[in-house]
Amino acid sequence: MSTTDGVTAAPAPTVEYVAAEIVAPVLGVPGVGRDADFFELEATSLHMVQIVAKVQSLFGIELPLPDLFDEPTVAGLVWLIERELNQA
């Protein structure tokens, strides 16, 4: 951990935590589980577009929308984000 003037910095949130924090308000479901299917939670294509836009804004990556339709869970979203980050 790094320190500034003797104060310990908090650890950065994990990609999974950030992904869940993106999805929950978009779908209006607090505490979305890592394996919950977005479509079972009544996600629409508009929700998926909003998730992709938030991922792009926060992580600075282009996430192909069709890939999210293939991986419609927080765990899948994490995998997609990490894949794109590793390709950058």
Side-chain angles (χ1 to χ4, degrees):
M1 284 190 194
S2 62
T3 61
T4 304
D5 297 331
V7 177
T8 303
T14 64
V15 173
E16 185 171 332
Y17 175 82
V18 174
E21 289 294 305
I22 290 169
V23 171
V26 170
L27 298 183
V29 178
V32 174
R34 71 181 320 271
D35 296 317
D37 186 296
F38 299 160
F39 296 111
E40 290 177 8
L41 298 173
E42 301 184 6
T44 65
S45 51
L46 178 58
H47 291 118
M48 302 302 254
V49 168
Q50 291 173 330
I51 291 168
V52 167
K54 288 184 182 257
V55 166
Q56 183 175 353
S57 173
L58 290 173
F59 290 96
I61 57 173
E62 296 278 336
L63 187 65
L65 182 60
D67 289 357
L68 187 56
F69 281 89
D70 292 336
E71 299 288 341
T73 63
V74 170
L77 179 58
V78 168
W79 181 80
L80 294 169
I81 291 168
E82 289 177 343
R83 180 192 71 188
E84 295 300 317
L85 288 173
N86 288 330
Q87 290 180 3

